[in-house]
């Protein structure tokens, strides 16, 4: 992986332990991953073969959410926390295809994502993209970052995306708190879009997947529907509400012939009054 080594020179890529973003990259067929990530991915696929369509469904959900927020809700600026590695189309490509002036701030704490940050910032000349290297467990480092302050106009609504990220926070109260702390900074009319891992539809193999992630040093927490719904307390849910991600406003982009047992993620979009 000479290219990775060159791009990551001077950055501790933590290649000895699995990382969620890089496991995700491997499952989706990417090349920006290391032996620990591939081991976690392969072992997880053996335990739960639906992992690949599940991850594709989650990615398709993000695409539909981005298009909805830009084309229907009229949002022109976005904060994407837990960006992951660049996989086209990225959020800025989706929303800037609706309006080239749209602004996107990406945030992640994976050093390899940082090494690829330039690829995330190749947007339109009319719009703006920025990247913040920060951990969502400390949301103030995000909302006080110069890239956040200089890119987003907090007198106007923001689309906050937390796609497949809160399952890396073990404690429910902490996860709810950090989401709320970011949302509290955003003005009325902003939107929260989330996908939240759940084991409610196929718990036995997913318990084994969770153990494999934990064995290789990565947190993976599944949440039941009531807990997933609590992230949206006080917000106005957009139809169809909280559903498995492949059922949120399907448009043909989601994987075909996927059963409910294949999808371990709830998804929803809600407006801040």
């Amino acid at each position: 992986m000479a290219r990775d080594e060159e791009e990551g020179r001077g950055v501790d890529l933590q290649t000895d332990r699995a990382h969620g973003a890089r496991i995700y990259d491997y499952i989706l067929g990417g090349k920006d991953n290391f032996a620990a990530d591939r081991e976690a991915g392969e072992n997880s696929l053996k335990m739960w073969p639906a992992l690949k369509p599940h991850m594709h469904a989650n990615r398709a959900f993000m695409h539909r959410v981005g298009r909805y927020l830009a084309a229907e809700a009229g949002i022109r600026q976005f904060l994407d926390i837990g960006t992951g590695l660049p996989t086209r189309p990225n959020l800025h490509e989706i929303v800037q295809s609706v309006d080239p002036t749209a602004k996107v701030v990406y945030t992640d704490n994976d050093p390899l994502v940082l090494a690829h940050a330039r690829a995330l910032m190749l947007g339109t000349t009319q719009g703006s993209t920025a990247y913040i290297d920060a951990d969502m467990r400390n949301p103030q480092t995000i909302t006080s970052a110069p890239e956040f302050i200089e890119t987003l106009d907090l007198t106007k609504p923001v689309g906050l995306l937390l796609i497949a990220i809160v399952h890396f926070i073990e404690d429910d109260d902490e996860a709810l708190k950090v989401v709320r702390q970011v949302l509290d900074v955003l003005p009325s009319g902003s939107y929260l879009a989330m996908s939240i891992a759940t084991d409610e539809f196929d718990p036995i193999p997913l318990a084994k997947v969770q153990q494999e992630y934990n064995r290789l040093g990565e947190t993976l927490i599944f949440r039941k529907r009531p807990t997933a719904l609590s992230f949206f307390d006080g917000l106005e849910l957009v139809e169809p509400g909280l559903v498995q991600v492949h059922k949120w406003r399907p448009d043909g982009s989601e994987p075909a012939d996927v059963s409910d047992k294949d999808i371990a993620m709830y998804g929803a979009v809600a407006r801040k009054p």
Side-chain angles (χ1 to χ4, degrees):
M1 299 190 65
R3 180 171 61 86
D4 292 341
E5 292 168 2
E6 180 180 351
E7 291 178 346
R9 188 177 296 140
V11 178
D12 180 7
L13 297 179
Q14 302 171 4
T15 61
D16 57 334
R17 57 164 290 174
H19 193 287
R22 299 194 298 253
I23 298 170
Y24 192 78
D25 174 77
Y26 175 71
I27 298 297
L28 291 178
K31 300 182 184 301
D32 298 306
N33 47 75
F34 299 97
D37 311 305
R38 294 189 285 274
E39 181 182 356
E42 284 298 328
N43 288 342
S44 297
L45 282 167
K46 291 174 184 176
M47 297 166 185
W48 192 52
L51 184 59
K52 185 173 288 188
H54 156 80
M55 286 187 171
H56 279 286
N58 182 68
R59 189 73 182 174
F61 169 73
M62 186 277 284
H63 296 163
R64 297 196 303 278
V65 164
R67 283 191 291 270
Y68 167 79
L69 291 175
E72 297 186 46
I75 299 298
R76 293 295 177 265
Q77 47 185 4
F78 300 83
L79 175 60
D80 181 9
I81 299 178
T83 300
L85 290 155
T87 304
R88 289 189 172 181
N90 291 295
L91 178 63
H92 70 274
E93 294 168 313
I94 293 169
V95 301
Q96 289 177 351
S97 71
V98 175
D99 186 339
T101 68
K103 302 176 181 180
V104 179
V105 174
Y106 291 110
T107 301
D108 209 303
N109 71 330
D110 181 354
L112 189 55
V113 178
L114 174 62
H116 284 285
R118 288 190 186 91
L120 286 169
M121 294 190 284
L122 295 177
T124 62
T125 56
Q126 304 99 311
S128 300
T129 57
Y131 180 81
I132 302 170
D133 179 30
D135 191 327
M136 75 168 294
R137 293 176 183 85
N138 189 359
Q140 188 177 1
T141 62
I142 298 172
T143 57
S144 64
E147 296 86 352
F148 178 92
I149 296 168
E150 294 167 6
T151 305
L152 302 181
D153 177 359
L154 294 185
T155 67
K156 299 176 181 179
V158 175
L160 170 60
L161 279 74
L162 295 164
I163 306 299
I165 185 66
V166 293
H167 57 258
F168 298 127
I169 300 179
E170 186 169 359
D171 183 76
D172 288 346
D173 290 338
E174 182 186 5
L176 290 163
K177 180 180 177 181
V178 297
V179 172
R180 188 58 54 179
Q181 284 180 325
V182 178
L183 194 59
D184 284 348
V185 174
L186 306 182
S188 175
S190 294
Y191 283 80
L192 171 64
M194 293 184 69
S195 59
I196 302 161
T198 183
D199 62 354
E200 290 188 300
F201 300 93
D202 203 7
I204 294 175
L206 286 170
K208 296 178 181 178
V209 172
Q210 183 181 49
Q211 290 171 2
E212 177 62 16
Y213 269 58
N214 295 164
R215 183 181 72 83
L216 292 170
E218 183 60 279
T219 300
L220 176 58
I221 297 299
F222 295 114
R223 293 184 163 95
K224 306 302 183 187
R225 179 180 172 82
T227 304
L229 198 57
S230 67
F231 285 99
F232 302 93
D233 284 350
L235 306 178
E236 300 166 350
L237 280 166
V238 173
E239 290 294 332
L242 183 74
V243 295
Q244 285 175 282
V245 290
H246 66 301
K247 296 181 177 180
W248 195 89
R249 300 192 171 211
D251 62 2
S253 64
E254 60 284 343
D257 302 323
V258 174
S259 72
D260 289 355
K261 288 182 67 175
D262 294 337
I263 307 299
M265 201 78 77
Y266 281 120
V269 176
R271 181 182 182 274
K272 180 178 178 180

